[in-house]
Amino acid sequence: MEIRPGDERDVPVLLDMFDEAVAWMVARGNTGQWGTEPWSAQPRRVERVRGIVARGDLWIAEVDEKPAGALIVADRPEPDVPPVDEPELYVLLLLVSRRHTGQRIGARLLDHARGEARARGVGLVRVDCFAGGTGDLIRYYVRNGFTPTETFAVGAWRGQVFEQRV
């Protein structure tokens, strides 16, 4: 696996990964996290993806020169997430293609985020995820060394914030 910088030309790659993930979640009855429709077919979602790509630093994980995962980090979270009073590196997006699950792509992208934080002299990495469903996402971040902190809501969508010192 290689990790390369990404940019706005990678928006279709991200939308493909979101579409895969939504189809997979819907097939398992999870409609609360990202809805039921492909993100690529929803102009509001497409603009959201474009916005987070423009706002943060995008990294694309590739396996055999094909996109396998994505990471976007920034110096602050989205407005709905409770702020902290110190410098941080915030993971705005961690997404892995369903074709590459079980290959530790997400864990390696989180390692990359920790390395970015250290390189920037930042001692705190935070991330959030959907707090509903089966709790698998919460357990995933805990397994990857993050500690749950506060929760937040965007309408009916519930989120869990995590942090890790580096």
Side-chain angles (χ1 to χ4, degrees):
M1 183 188 92
E2 298 291 326
I3 298 175
R4 66 164 174 84
D7 59 34
E8 65 277 350
R9 292 171 293 192
D10 291 301
V11 167
V13 169
L14 297 177
L15 290 169
D16 285 346
M17 285 188 220
F18 273 113
D19 289 353
E20 277 182 350
V22 167
W24 181 80
M25 287 187 278
V26 167
R28 282 151 187 75
N30 177 354
T31 60
Q33 184 172 344
W34 287 341
T36 60
E37 300 299 319
W39 277 37
S40 62
Q42 300 177 61
R44 185 177 63 88
R45 299 281 194 177
V46 171
E47 284 310 306
R48 175 159 165 65
V49 171
R50 287 186 201 289
I52 59 173
V53 167
R55 187 171 164 257
D57 297 323
L58 171 61
W59 300 93
I60 301 291
E62 293 183 331
V63 173
D64 297 327
E65 299 181 4
K66 293 193 182 352
L71 168 75
I72 299 176
V73 295
D75 62 356
R76 66 187 187 290
E78 295 290 336
D80 296 305
V81 175
V84 293
D85 60 357
E86 67 180 284
E88 70 177 313
L89 188 70
Y90 203 91
V91 175
L92 296 175
L93 176 70
L94 178 67
L95 187 57
V96 176
S97 167
R98 296 303 311 158
R99 293 182 295 266
H100 295 279
T101 57
Q103 296 177 16
R104 298 195 36 80
I105 304 291
R108 291 167 72 184
L109 285 166
L110 289 172
D111 286 342
H112 187 83
R114 288 185 279 268
E116 281 291 306
R118 284 190 288 276
R120 297 175 188 196
V122 175
L124 178 65
V125 176
R126 293 198 309 154
V127 63
D128 67 77
C129 72
F130 181 56
T134 62
D136 287 345
L137 276 174
I138 291 171
R139 287 187 291 279
Y140 174 81
Y141 285 109
V142 169
R143 275 194 319 272
N144 279 278
F146 287 85
T147 301
T149 58
E150 58 265 315
T151 59
F152 68 101
V154 179
W157 191 91
R158 307 290 298 164
Q160 173 66 59
V161 180
F162 300 84
E163 68 178 24
Q164 185 177 66
R165 296 283 169 188
V166 296

